[in-house]
């Protein structure tokens, strides 16, 4: 083999080692390769009185006010072993707090007078360390 052939072999060997070196830190990452939880984000929905908190695709909690029938729908799929906290404020009335009561889906029937405005807020739990959305804007009932 000539000198040119040796350089080609050395260059190819170096290229094969690079992917192996790049995967080593991923294996040695903290948590032994266990996916780290994503940061929880909480937001309001601009088109309806609703708010949610999410840290991954299916790890979500949500509250929605449904005008037809004056229903408050609480979705609790936030995997923290705690009940979701939903807060509803109807203008002219005091704020009311509702819990998911350990259920994935809970509907609370209310009867508000027509012509008032409602806004909602949701928290991942009732603890002081819970993540909460801001208030949705007011929507007419």
């Amino acid at each position: 083999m000539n000198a040119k052939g040796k350089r080609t072999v050395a260059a190819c060997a170096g290229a094969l080692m690079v992917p192996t070196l790049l995967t080593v830190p991923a294996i040695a990452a903290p948590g032994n390769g266990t996916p780290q939880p994503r940061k929880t984000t909480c937001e309001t929905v601009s088109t309806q009185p609703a708010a949610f908190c999410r840290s991954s695709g299916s790890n979500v909690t949500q509250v929605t006010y449904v005008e037809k029938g004056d229903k408050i729908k609480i979705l609790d799929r936030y995997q923290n072993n705690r009940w979701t906290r939903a807060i509803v404020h109807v203008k002219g009335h005091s704020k009311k707090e509702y819990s998911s009561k350990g259920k994935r889906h809970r509907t609370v029937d209310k009867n508000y007078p027509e012509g008032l405005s409602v806004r909602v807020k949701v928290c991942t739990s009732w603890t002081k360390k819970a993540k909460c959305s801001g208030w949705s804007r007011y929507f007419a009932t």
Side-chain angles (χ1 to χ4, degrees), residues 10 28 30 38 48 53 73 77 82 87 97 105 137:
R38 295 179 184 167
Q48 62 181 335
C53 292
K73 293 191 173 190
R77 291 193 174 199
R82 291 183 169 82
I87 307 161
E97 297 186 6
H105 300 276
R137 68 179 182 88

Side-chain angles (χ1 to χ4, degrees), residues 87-113:
I87 307 161
V88 179
H89 183 229
V90 177
K91 273 190 179 178
H93 295 270
S94 60
K95 296 174 191 162
K96 297 287 184 179
E97 297 186 6
Y98 302 96
S99 168
S100 62
K101 293 191 175 182
K103 299 177 182 177
R104 285 185 174 257
H105 300 276
R106 179 173 182 230
T107 302
V108 179
D109 291 320
K110 299 304 290 178
N111 189 11
Y112 297 115

